[in-house]
Structure formats: structure tokens, C-alpha cells
Amino acid sequence: MLTGMIRKTSLLVALLLLMVACTSDRATAPETTLAAGAGATEPDFLTAPEFPIGVDWLNTDRPLSFDELKGKIVLLDFWTYGCINCIHIIPDLERLEAEFAEELVVIGVHSAKFDAESNTDNIRQIILRYEIGHPVVNDPDFQVWNSWGARAWPTVFVVDPAGGVVGLHAGEGVYDVVQPVIAGLVEEFDEVIDRSPIDLTLESTGIPATVLAYPGKVLADERGDRLFISDTNHHRVLVVRISDGQVLAAFGSGRPGLSDGVGIEAEFQAPQGLELAADGASLLVADTDNHAIRSIDLSTGEVTTIAGTGRQAAYPPEGGPSGSTALSSPWDIVAADEGGFYVAMAGTHQIWLLQPGLGAIRPFVGSAREGTLNTTLAASELAQPSGLAVGEGARLYFADSESSSIRVADPSLDSVGLVAGGQASLFEFGDVDGSGGDARFQHPLGVAFGDGYLWVADTYNSKIKRIDPDSGATETLAGAGSGWSDGTDPRFYEPGGISAGAEVLYVADTNNHSIRVVDMMTGRTSTLVLKGAEEFLPAPGDDLFAGTVVEIEQTSVALGAIDVVVRVGLPEGYKVNPDAPSRFDFEINGVGASAQSPGVVVNPSFPLTILADVASDTTQIIGDVSVVYCETEQESICLIEQLRFIVSVEPVSGGSTELVLDHTIDLPDI
């Protein structure tokens, strides 16, 4: 829906905007409309309202204003970070930014639905997680929202270079609707557009240097001493030995993409849910941003795509052959009867049934309308289901994140019902222990069944909760506000995944980039220390390298034997992890040149000396160094720094016999 087309100079552009919206084949319905009484007013569509003073800005070191942005086309994106439809349009915004790099400025206006989402530090984590590269203003009190008259998430407004508001679009399908409008404005305002770049100070330029990066889900197989982890922002899946934290295997190159292959040759994109096949020989993965289901053969390491096309489904969603049916943000997966799997299709507010034996996938629960209606399986309304668990009697429990509730689908009764949490609207959330409809959660993403209870990762409350599935009685097991601490008074930071063992819970503590182990009886928590992840890093010279490159200007060295001295400084209060091996691999070009690379080194000390032989035609030395380190007093959270030293050398007679490679690690924002 588009309104406000009253600027005469942009009338043709406005009409085009309306036409494109009416013919788009993508869902244009907004994710959620703000509850009545929020105080939204009709906007003045003639001139863009200025931003209020005193609000927090991210990805920029100063507040921006429309006065400063005169001469630019501006796209305002009203969003809230838990909204799946808001996540869906991020690629559209990136595509527009790339296509109109000189003419367009995108500004995100984060008007939070949930209390936790209004916290600037939490928004910063989301910017890092989704690698958002445009300015974002935190609008916790809906000042910007109300001045523009926004009504739903997501909504985008387009502003022309003269500061006039051209129109708005609510819902997904942003690129198809907005691209012709921006192209028309570029043509119309060609002579007055300011094509000079806007200086931005981004929150981050890369993935945090932790062993895990925003892990989304986790699956425990205690009988096989295996833990499967969706290392979401590293775009890979890890297999870890529970007993000692040793990383046994990695699947995914670390680069986002959709390609099958063996081990790290394959590519994933922000994988989430995990489930073992009945025979334990293969692992199914909800490959969320690829809108696909992948299968990993755990004996051969072969990764194959068994459902989805790699493109997001159009609306309304339809089932069909698994290999040719488009999916929409599958977020979790759990085994069903007779070799099937339930899939939490967050993007269409449904739960689907995948039947690999039949090569078919179809909607199973939910009408694809977002809401809280409990009725038959097909007619019920869900709200971004993101976590699944099968309990006694084959009942299917799900974390319905946008309604902040835990609900149950009973195939034998063809019904959906509430277990605990809000049920009247999408705005009943909080942090309350109680029974059934009196309990409150805040955007839970994970649920597990074990020992007769439901265990919930109450994500935005940063807590782990326990529910009696029969009575709905809910109580907090662990967690006391966001942060990180182990022991009897633990803290978590937006945990997204949970798996039940016999006596403990395994938690993907997403914003802490770690896996936590929680005692079911006491809530006592420890952090699983992962070892050996460096074994699966790209080899020296590999174009998949994503670490820190340290280039050293050309230096003169002696012909023949030299000492390459590696000095790596650690942040204050940190030490090399004595249990997790670090790695040193060096390459030297030139006929007869060589380096005695030590490879894996347990508990290395710096400076570390490597012996090398330099030939007369040597021009470059490349050294890949991976250092695993941790806090001096608390070794539970492991970090990893990948360095690539690139040194241009000039072999000369009488040159130095010592080459020093020096780097100090900056502590990442975790």
C-alpha cells in the first residue's frame, strides 16, 4: 500500500510506485501493525520531518539531519529487529544501496516492539549480526515513528533530493517496488543530486573474532558424545565432542553461499535448526537465509540440498516437490513420525512437514496469517514460530516468538492450543513466572522437551525457563538479566537455542558467542570450552581467509638462513589458552626457499621464532597465525584471532638475519 503522492514534480514517479506495488508477486502485508493507542499521527507528506534531538545513532559518529542530506535520495526503513519481515528486506536494502551507491542513503529507524529491542547495545549486536552497513537511529519512544505516521513493521519511506516525501510502502517486496522510483528520481534530479560520499563510522567491519559467531541452535546427542552447533554467523555447522569440547568436524566454508560439497567445501548462509535422522547417520539443517533444508552425511561429510530452491517463497505459500518448492526462512527442524520432519517456517508463520521419502514438503500447521488464533491445525494463526520440540503423545510444541508464547499442536486432535504465555494479541509479553496464560515471555526462540518438562530459551529476557506441559506452570531456572557469568547465578545474552540431555541443558548463548551447559535441577551453569576449531580454518593463501591482514612494507633480509620472529600481543587480562592449540603456517616463494612452519602449537609463548631459508628470487613471505586466547582468571569464553602477515622482502648480501612480525590483538566487542 502506498500513499502520500502529492509532489507535482514527482507525480510520474509516484504513479509508477503505485503500479509496481499492485503487481508485485511478493507478500506486501506488514509483519505486525502497532497496537491502537500508540499515538501515531498523520505525517506531513510535503516535507520530511527532522529527526529528534537526543536519540542514539549507530553506524555513524554523529546525528544525521535532512538538512545535511539535501541532494541525496533517502530511504527510511522503519523496523524492529525481531521481525522476520524486517529481516527479509535487508537484502533488498543492500541491493538498492549497491545499485545507487552515489545517490541513495538508507537510514534505519529502529522503533522497537519489545522492551529488550529498545536497548541501544542490543541493537548494536543486531547490526553486527546482520552486518548492516547504513546508519540506524534508535527510536525507543516512537518519536520518529509518530512524526512520520508509520503503522507497521517494516515500512519504508522515500524522500527526494529536495527533501520532499514521495511515498511509502509497508511490507516485503521492497526492491521491486522502490527500485523504479529511485531510478526515476535519479533521472528527474540528475543535475542537483549530491554524489559525494557520506562518511560513516561503522560499529564493526567484520565478524567477531570468537570461535563461534552468534550461534543460533544446538543439538545434543549424549549417547554418541556429540554436540551439533549452528555457528550461524560463520555460516557453518560444527560437530563437537561433549566430553572434552574437541571440535571433530566442520561443514561450511565460512563464506555465505548455497553450494553442496564435502565438509568445508560446502556453503551455508546463517544456518539455524538441527535434527538427526532416525538412524543418526545424517544431520538435517535449517539453512535459514538460503531458504533451504540441507542434509549432512556424517560418515562422508557430503552436504546436499534436500528442500528449497534458494529463493524466498512468494505469497501465499504452497507445498509441492521438496526440490522445487520455495521456502521462507526455515528456523528450526525436528523429527516427526514415519521419517518425516517438522519445519518451523518462520517467514510464513507456519509449521511445515517435510517427507524426504516422498520428496515432498507442505504446510502442516498455520494459515499463513500472523496471529494468536487457536483452532484446527490448518486454520490456526501462528506468529513466527522459531523453535520446535516433540513431546509425549507426539504433541508438537513450538516457541511462537512474536506472540511471546509456547504453544502446542496435537495432530491426533487436529488442534492448536496455548501452553504458556500471551494469547490475546501479539503484544502480551513480559517476564512473569506463572501458569498458562498468566506466564509471560519475551520473544522466545528455543524450546526443548526432556525429563517430562519443556525447557525454553526465553531469548529477549536472557533466561532459561521450565514449563510443566500439562499445567502450563512456568518458572525461571537460570538467568538474571543479560550479561555473562557462570555458576549458581548465571547470566545469558539473548540465548536462541536449547537442547535437553539426561541431566543438563545445552544452550546456544547467541550474543555471548558460546555454548552453555545448565544443570536441570539447580540451574548451575558452565561454559563449554571448544578446542580444535583452528583445524578447520582456511589454508594459507586460501581466498576464504576472513581474518586480519597485517601487511609489512618491503624490508631487506639476508640470503640464506634467517629467523622469523612472531610477536603477538594479547589484550590486558588475557592469556593464550593452554588447552586449545594455536597454529602457525608460513609460505615463502622462490626457488629453494623454505620455512620450518611449526603448524599446531599447544600453549605457545611469544616471541616465537621460525627458521626460514631465503632464496635470491624470494619476494614475499606469507604467514598465517591463529591464536586461541581467553581471560586470565576465567578460561571459559574462548576467542580466536586469525592473522595473515604479508611481507615484501628484498634479499641482499649482508641483510638482516632477523625478520620481526609484530601485531597486538584488539579485544573484539562481545
Side-chain angles (χ1 to χ4, degrees):
M1 179 180 180
L2 295 149
T3 58
M5 315 304 182
I6 61 178
R7 291 197 75 256
K8 292 181 180 179
T9 58
S10 296
L11 181 58
L12 180 59
V13 170
L15 289 175
L16 178 58
L17 187 55
L18 180 60
M19 289 171 58
V20 173
C22 291
T23 58
S24 174
D25 67 353
R26 289 284 300 281
T28 57
E31 190 273 350
T32 303
T33 300
L34 187 62
T41 59
E42 289 299 323
D44 174 5
F45 279 110
L46 288 174
T47 305
E50 265 303 353
F51 296 105
I53 298 173
V55 292
D56 290 341
W57 286 80
L58 299 111
N59 274 344
T60 173
D61 59 1
R62 68 191 188 285
L64 300 180
S65 69
F66 278 100
D67 183 60
E68 175 188 353
L69 296 171
K70 285 287 179 65
K72 294 285 188 183
I73 300 167
V74 179
L75 186 150
L76 282 192
D77 169 35
F78 285 86
W79 66 302
T80 186
Y81 71 71
C83 154
I84 190 65
N85 305 77
C86 298
I87 295 170
H88 282 165
I89 74 168
I90 291 175
D92 285 5
L93 299 179
E94 292 175 345
R95 188 176 174 186
L96 290 168
E97 289 176 290
E99 189 170 340
F100 301 100
E102 295 182 340
E103 300 89 358
L104 176 67
V105 175
V106 174
I107 296 178
V109 181
H110 192 276
S111 305
K113 171 185 174 181
F114 293 100
D115 293 341
E117 292 177 324
S118 65
N119 182 286
T120 298
D121 287 336
N122 293 349
I123 299 171
R124 179 176 291 108
Q125 289 295 325
I126 288 295
I127 287 173
L128 297 175
R129 188 189 311 184
Y130 290 111
E131 299 178 0
I132 294 170
H134 55 252
V136 174
V137 57
N138 185 7
D139 183 34
D141 299 321
F142 284 78
Q143 292 173 271
V144 186
W145 175 284
N146 289 336
S147 67
W148 284 80
R151 291 289 190 274
W153 301 280
T155 297
V156 299
F157 288 82
V158 177
V159 180
D160 69 27
V165 181
V166 174
L168 67 93
H169 170 72
E172 296 186 32
V174 168
Y175 179 85
D176 291 340
V177 174
V178 172
Q179 191 277 345
V181 177
I182 296 176
L185 290 173
V186 169
E187 182 178 353
E188 180 181 353
F189 289 89
D190 180 60
E191 295 184 0
V192 298
I193 287 180
D194 177 7
R195 290 181 167 83
S196 60
I198 292 181
D199 293 330
L200 299 175
T201 303
L202 300 182
E203 300 300 320
S204 173
T205 56
I207 295 172
T210 43
V211 173
L212 301 176
Y214 298 103
K217 298 291 185 183
V218 63
L219 175 67
D221 171 28
E222 289 186 333
R223 180 177 298 180
D225 196 19
R226 298 182 298 182
L227 191 69
F228 303 96
I229 302 169
S230 285
D231 191 6
T232 304
N233 266 52
H234 284 149
H235 310 290
R236 64 180 182 174
V237 175
L238 299 181
V239 184
V240 174
R241 192 161 53 218
I242 295 175
S243 54
D244 62 2
Q246 182 69 36
V247 178
L248 303 175
F251 305 96
S253 67
R255 177 174 57 193
L258 176 57
S259 64
D260 293 341
V262 177
I264 62 173
E265 295 176 359
E267 291 178 328
F268 296 85
Q269 187 160 347
Q272 289 280 346
L274 306 165
E275 179 63 305
L276 280 170
D279 60 5
S282 60
L283 179 74
L284 273 70
V285 181
D287 195 6
T288 304
D289 282 6
N290 276 326
H291 310 290
I293 304 298
R294 317 291 292 282
S295 178
I296 302 173
D297 186 315
L298 294 173
S299 61
T300 67
E302 183 76 26
V303 178
T304 56
T305 302
I306 62 171
T309 64
R311 296 178 61 85
Q312 185 189 344
Y315 190 89
E318 297 180 355
S322 54
S324 58
T325 298
L327 312 182
S328 185
S329 293
W331 209 275
D332 202 5
I333 185 167
V334 69
D337 290 336
E338 299 178 355
F341 296 86
Y342 295 121
V343 179
M345 205 67 70
T348 61
H349 310 293
Q350 294 174 304
I351 297 169
W352 285 37
L353 177 62
L354 170 65
Q355 297 170 294
L358 300 177
I361 189 167
R362 61 181 174 85
F364 185 71
V365 183
S367 66
R369 289 179 57 86
E370 186 182 26
T372 59
L373 175 65
N374 290 322
T375 178
T376 64
L377 296 178
S380 291
E381 297 174 357
L382 314 187
Q384 203 172 311
S386 302
L388 300 175
V390 174
E392 295 175 356
R395 289 187 289 268
L396 174 62
Y397 298 93
F398 57 99
D400 205 39
S401 61
E402 280 296 292
S403 68
S404 293
S405 65
I406 305 301
R407 300 166 72 179
V408 60
D410 192 331
S412 67
L413 299 176
D414 187 24
S415 67
V416 175
L418 176 74
V419 179
Q423 60 182 337
S425 76
L426 300 178
F427 293 85
E428 285 193 329
F429 60 86
D431 184 7
V432 179
D433 289 353
S435 293
D438 293 329
R440 289 292 178 268
F441 306 91
Q442 192 176 182
H443 200 84
L445 289 176
V447 62
F449 184 83
D451 196 31
Y453 290 97
L454 291 172
W455 309 91
V456 179
D458 191 3
T459 305
Y460 288 177
N461 285 325
S462 294
K463 290 186 175 182
I464 306 302
K465 295 184 177 180
R466 178 175 60 197
I467 305 175
D468 183 318
D470 296 322
S471 67
T474 302
E475 60 181 333
T476 298
L477 173 70
S482 62
W484 183 87
S485 63
D486 277 341
T488 57
D489 188 23
R491 288 179 179 266
F492 306 85
Y493 194 177
E494 294 196 0
I498 188 167
S499 183
E503 298 178 347
V504 299
L505 304 168
Y506 301 89
V507 177
D509 194 6
T510 304
N511 284 6
N512 277 327
H513 313 293
S514 61
I515 303 300
R516 317 293 293 282
V517 182
V518 184
D519 186 282
M520 287 181 177
M521 294 294 294
T522 66
R524 186 177 183 87
T525 299
S526 61
T527 300
L528 181 64
V529 178
L530 303 186
K531 308 169 186 176
E534 71 286 340
E535 298 280 341
F536 304 97
L537 296 174
D542 196 312
D543 62 2
L544 298 179
F545 181 81
T548 300
V549 176
V550 181
E551 294 194 54
I552 298 176
E553 295 182 358
Q554 182 169 323
T555 184
S556 298
V557 295
L559 280 167
I562 67 168
D563 292 335
V564 179
V565 180
V566 181
R567 294 176 178 169
V568 177
L570 300 179
E572 184 177 354
Y574 284 77
K575 66 176 182 180
V576 171
N577 189 309
D579 298 318
S582 297
R583 191 175 187 92
F584 301 82
D585 292 303
F586 279 74
E587 289 185 350
I588 300 178
N589 75 322
V591 178
S594 64
Q596 297 180 22
S597 295
V600 173
V601 178
V602 177
N603 197 21
S605 59
F606 296 101
L608 184 145
T609 300
I610 295 169
L611 301 179
D613 278 306
V614 176
S616 60
D617 59 344
T618 295
T619 59
Q620 190 177 70
I621 298 175
I622 297 177
D624 276 13
V625 176
S626 301
V627 179
V628 182
Y629 63 105
C630 59
E631 291 186 17
T632 302
E633 300 299 327
Q634 173 57 263
E635 298 182 4
S636 294
I637 294 185
C638 299
L639 300 99
I640 187 166
E641 182 78 358
Q642 292 177 254
L643 301 171
R644 172 163 291 168
F645 292 98
I646 300 177
V647 189
S648 297
V649 297
E650 180 185 12
V652 295
S653 178
S656 175
T657 58
E658 183 178 270
L659 175 63
V660 177
L661 308 182
D662 197 351
H663 178 76
T664 299
I665 297 174
D666 292 326
L667 188 66
D669 182 8
I670 60 169

mmCIF file of all heavy atoms in Angstrom, residues 447-467:
data_model
loop_
_atom_site.group_PDB
_atom_site.id
_atom_site.type_symbol
_atom_site.label_atom_id
_atom_site.label_comp_id
_atom_site.label_asym_id
_atom_site.label_seq_id
_atom_site.Cartn_x
_atom_site.Cartn_y
_atom_site.Cartn_z
ATOM 1 N N VAL A 447 12.909 -24.075 22.252
ATOM 2 C CA VAL A 447 12.179 -24.929 23.187
ATOM 3 C C VAL A 447 12.686 -26.355 23.022
ATOM 4 O O VAL A 447 13.022 -26.790 21.911
ATOM 5 C CB VAL A 447 10.651 -24.846 22.947
ATOM 6 C CG1 VAL A 447 10.288 -25.335 21.550
ATOM 7 C CG2 VAL A 447 9.874 -25.631 23.997
ATOM 8 N N ALA A 448 12.773 -27.085 24.131
ATOM 9 C CA ALA A 448 13.215 -28.477 24.118
ATOM 10 C C ALA A 448 12.350 -29.268 25.087
ATOM 11 O O ALA A 448 11.793 -28.712 26.040
ATOM 12 C CB ALA A 448 14.687 -28.583 24.507
ATOM 13 N N PHE A 449 12.241 -30.559 24.850
ATOM 14 C CA PHE A 449 11.486 -31.436 25.748
ATOM 15 C C PHE A 449 12.440 -32.445 26.357
ATOM 16 O O PHE A 449 13.209 -33.096 25.640
ATOM 17 C CB PHE A 449 10.376 -32.159 24.986
ATOM 18 C CG PHE A 449 9.499 -33.021 25.868
ATOM 19 C CD1 PHE A 449 8.441 -32.471 26.576
ATOM 20 C CD2 PHE A 449 9.758 -34.379 26.014
ATOM 21 C CE1 PHE A 449 7.642 -33.255 27.396
ATOM 22 C CE2 PHE A 449 8.971 -35.178 26.832
ATOM 23 C CZ PHE A 449 7.907 -34.613 27.524
ATOM 24 N N GLY A 450 12.402 -32.571 27.680
ATOM 25 C CA GLY A 450 13.270 -33.522 28.360
ATOM 26 C C GLY A 450 12.894 -33.670 29.814
ATOM 27 O O GLY A 450 12.474 -32.697 30.459
ATOM 28 N N ASP A 451 13.012 -34.883 30.347
ATOM 29 C CA ASP A 451 12.709 -35.168 31.746
ATOM 30 C C ASP A 451 11.275 -34.773 32.105
ATOM 31 O O ASP A 451 10.993 -34.386 33.238
ATOM 32 C CB ASP A 451 13.709 -34.454 32.664
ATOM 33 C CG ASP A 451 13.690 -35.008 34.091
ATOM 34 O OD1 ASP A 451 13.420 -36.218 34.248
ATOM 35 O OD2 ASP A 451 13.918 -34.226 35.036
ATOM 36 N N GLY A 452 10.369 -34.847 31.122
ATOM 37 C CA GLY A 452 8.966 -34.549 31.371
ATOM 38 C C GLY A 452 8.608 -33.081 31.352
ATOM 39 O O GLY A 452 7.444 -32.729 31.570
ATOM 40 N N TYR A 453 9.586 -32.211 31.101
ATOM 41 C CA TYR A 453 9.345 -30.765 31.093
ATOM 42 C C TYR A 453 9.656 -30.159 29.721
ATOM 43 O O TYR A 453 10.379 -30.749 28.904
ATOM 44 C CB TYR A 453 10.223 -30.060 32.134
ATOM 45 C CG TYR A 453 9.842 -30.334 33.569
ATOM 46 C CD1 TYR A 453 10.512 -31.311 34.308
ATOM 47 C CD2 TYR A 453 8.828 -29.603 34.194
ATOM 48 C CE1 TYR A 453 10.181 -31.562 35.629
ATOM 49 C CE2 TYR A 453 8.491 -29.854 35.522
ATOM 50 C CZ TYR A 453 9.164 -30.834 36.232
ATOM 51 O OH TYR A 453 8.829 -31.083 37.537
ATOM 52 N N LEU A 454 9.123 -28.973 29.517
ATOM 53 C CA LEU A 454 9.546 -28.128 28.413
ATOM 54 C C LEU A 454 10.561 -27.129 28.941
ATOM 55 O O LEU A 454 10.363 -26.535 30.015
ATOM 56 C CB LEU A 454 8.347 -27.374 27.812
ATOM 57 C CG LEU A 454 7.320 -28.212 27.064
ATOM 58 C CD1 LEU A 454 6.098 -27.358 26.710
ATOM 59 C CD2 LEU A 454 7.921 -28.820 25.811
ATOM 60 N N TRP A 455 11.646 -26.952 28.185
ATOM 61 C CA TRP A 455 12.709 -26.023 28.561
ATOM 62 C C TRP A 455 12.772 -24.944 27.492
ATOM 63 O O TRP A 455 12.822 -25.246 26.296
ATOM 64 C CB TRP A 455 14.041 -26.749 28.679
ATOM 65 C CG TRP A 455 13.949 -27.961 29.562
ATOM 66 C CD1 TRP A 455 13.668 -29.233 29.174
ATOM 67 C CD2 TRP A 455 14.099 -28.006 30.988
ATOM 68 N NE1 TRP A 455 13.646 -30.083 30.261
ATOM 69 C CE2 TRP A 455 13.907 -29.350 31.393
ATOM 70 C CE3 TRP A 455 14.385 -27.048 31.959
ATOM 71 C CZ2 TRP A 455 13.989 -29.761 32.718
ATOM 72 C CZ3 TRP A 455 14.480 -27.447 33.283
ATOM 73 C CH2 TRP A 455 14.283 -28.784 33.653
ATOM 74 N N VAL A 456 12.759 -23.702 27.914
ATOM 75 C CA VAL A 456 12.594 -22.588 26.986
ATOM 76 C C VAL A 456 13.778 -21.637 27.054
ATOM 77 O O VAL A 456 14.197 -21.228 28.148
ATOM 78 C CB VAL A 456 11.292 -21.800 27.291
ATOM 79 C CG1 VAL A 456 11.140 -20.609 26.338
ATOM 80 C CG2 VAL A 456 10.081 -22.716 27.191
ATOM 81 N N ALA A 457 14.328 -21.305 25.880
ATOM 82 C CA ALA A 457 15.269 -20.194 25.786
ATOM 83 C C ALA A 457 14.438 -18.933 25.608
ATOM 84 O O ALA A 457 13.965 -18.636 24.502
ATOM 85 C CB ALA A 457 16.217 -20.399 24.606
ATOM 86 N N ASP A 458 14.201 -18.232 26.722
ATOM 87 C CA ASP A 458 13.383 -17.006 26.703
ATOM 88 C C ASP A 458 14.300 -15.868 26.258
ATOM 89 O O ASP A 458 14.855 -15.134 27.069
ATOM 90 C CB ASP A 458 12.796 -16.761 28.092
ATOM 91 C CG ASP A 458 11.736 -15.673 28.090
ATOM 92 O OD1 ASP A 458 11.417 -15.150 26.999
ATOM 93 O OD2 ASP A 458 11.227 -15.334 29.179
ATOM 94 N N THR A 459 14.411 -15.711 24.971
ATOM 95 C CA THR A 459 15.528 -15.008 24.346
ATOM 96 C C THR A 459 15.695 -13.584 24.830
ATOM 97 O O THR A 459 16.755 -13.191 25.317
ATOM 98 C CB THR A 459 15.370 -15.054 22.823
ATOM 99 O OG1 THR A 459 15.231 -16.427 22.420
ATOM 100 C CG2 THR A 459 16.579 -14.444 22.133
ATOM 101 N N TYR A 460 14.676 -12.750 24.675
ATOM 102 C CA TYR A 460 14.852 -11.336 24.999
ATOM 103 C C TYR A 460 14.884 -11.075 26.502
ATOM 104 O O TYR A 460 15.312 -10.000 26.936
ATOM 105 C CB TYR A 460 13.762 -10.492 24.337
ATOM 106 C CG TYR A 460 13.919 -10.360 22.834
ATOM 107 C CD1 TYR A 460 12.981 -9.669 22.078
ATOM 108 C CD2 TYR A 460 15.000 -10.925 22.166
ATOM 109 C CE1 TYR A 460 13.120 -9.544 20.695
ATOM 110 C CE2 TYR A 460 15.143 -10.811 20.803
ATOM 111 C CZ TYR A 460 14.196 -10.116 20.069
ATOM 112 O OH TYR A 460 14.327 -9.992 18.709
ATOM 113 N N ASN A 461 14.449 -12.034 27.310
ATOM 114 C CA ASN A 461 14.623 -11.919 28.760
ATOM 115 C C ASN A 461 15.961 -12.491 29.214
ATOM 116 O O ASN A 461 16.302 -12.405 30.397
ATOM 117 C CB ASN A 461 13.489 -12.631 29.500
ATOM 118 C CG ASN A 461 12.186 -11.856 29.466
ATOM 119 O OD1 ASN A 461 12.182 -10.627 29.506
ATOM 120 N ND2 ASN A 461 11.071 -12.567 29.384
ATOM 121 N N SER A 462 16.704 -13.101 28.295
ATOM 122 C CA SER A 462 18.004 -13.709 28.602
ATOM 123 C C SER A 462 17.903 -14.683 29.771
ATOM 124 O O SER A 462 18.723 -14.681 30.690
ATOM 125 C CB SER A 462 19.054 -12.617 28.879
ATOM 126 O OG SER A 462 19.312 -11.875 27.706
ATOM 127 N N LYS A 463 16.880 -15.553 29.694
ATOM 128 C CA LYS A 463 16.651 -16.532 30.753
ATOM 129 C C LYS A 463 16.353 -17.912 30.173
ATOM 130 O O LYS A 463 15.960 -18.047 29.017
ATOM 131 C CB LYS A 463 15.470 -16.101 31.633
ATOM 132 C CG LYS A 463 15.746 -14.877 32.498
ATOM 133 C CD LYS A 463 14.584 -14.594 33.436
ATOM 134 C CE LYS A 463 14.916 -13.450 34.392
ATOM 135 N NZ LYS A 463 13.811 -13.193 35.349
ATOM 136 N N ILE A 464 16.534 -18.914 31.030
ATOM 137 C CA ILE A 464 16.122 -20.272 30.731
ATOM 138 C C ILE A 464 14.964 -20.598 31.671
ATOM 139 O O ILE A 464 15.086 -20.455 32.896
ATOM 140 C CB ILE A 464 17.271 -21.279 30.934
ATOM 141 C CG1 ILE A 464 18.507 -20.848 30.123
ATOM 142 C CG2 ILE A 464 16.817 -22.674 30.557
ATOM 143 C CD1 ILE A 464 18.274 -20.718 28.639
ATOM 144 N N LYS A 465 13.829 -21.040 31.084
ATOM 145 C CA LYS A 465 12.644 -21.309 31.892
ATOM 146 C C LYS A 465 12.178 -22.751 31.709
ATOM 147 O O LYS A 465 12.462 -23.391 30.691
ATOM 148 C CB LYS A 465 11.528 -20.333 31.533
ATOM 149 C CG LYS A 465 11.883 -18.888 31.899
ATOM 150 C CD LYS A 465 10.750 -17.906 31.643
ATOM 151 C CE LYS A 465 11.152 -16.498 32.092
ATOM 152 N NZ LYS A 465 10.083 -15.502 31.857
ATOM 153 N N ARG A 466 11.434 -23.228 32.726
ATOM 154 C CA ARG A 466 10.915 -24.594 32.734
ATOM 155 C C ARG A 466 9.394 -24.543 32.803
ATOM 156 O O ARG A 466 8.814 -23.775 33.577
ATOM 157 C CB ARG A 466 11.475 -25.364 33.930
ATOM 158 C CG ARG A 466 10.950 -26.792 34.050
ATOM 159 C CD ARG A 466 11.645 -27.534 35.173
ATOM 160 N NE ARG A 466 11.455 -26.884 36.468
ATOM 161 C CZ ARG A 466 12.207 -27.129 37.543
ATOM 162 N NH1 ARG A 466 13.216 -27.989 37.457
ATOM 163 N NH2 ARG A 466 11.975 -26.510 38.681
ATOM 164 N N ILE A 467 8.747 -25.409 31.994
ATOM 165 C CA ILE A 467 7.287 -25.437 31.949
ATOM 166 C C ILE A 467 6.807 -26.867 32.153
ATOM 167 O O ILE A 467 7.311 -27.805 31.518
ATOM 168 C CB ILE A 467 6.749 -24.930 30.596
ATOM 169 C CG1 ILE A 467 7.278 -23.538 30.269
ATOM 170 C CG2 ILE A 467 5.225 -24.919 30.595
ATOM 171 C CD1 ILE A 467 6.870 -23.050 28.882
#
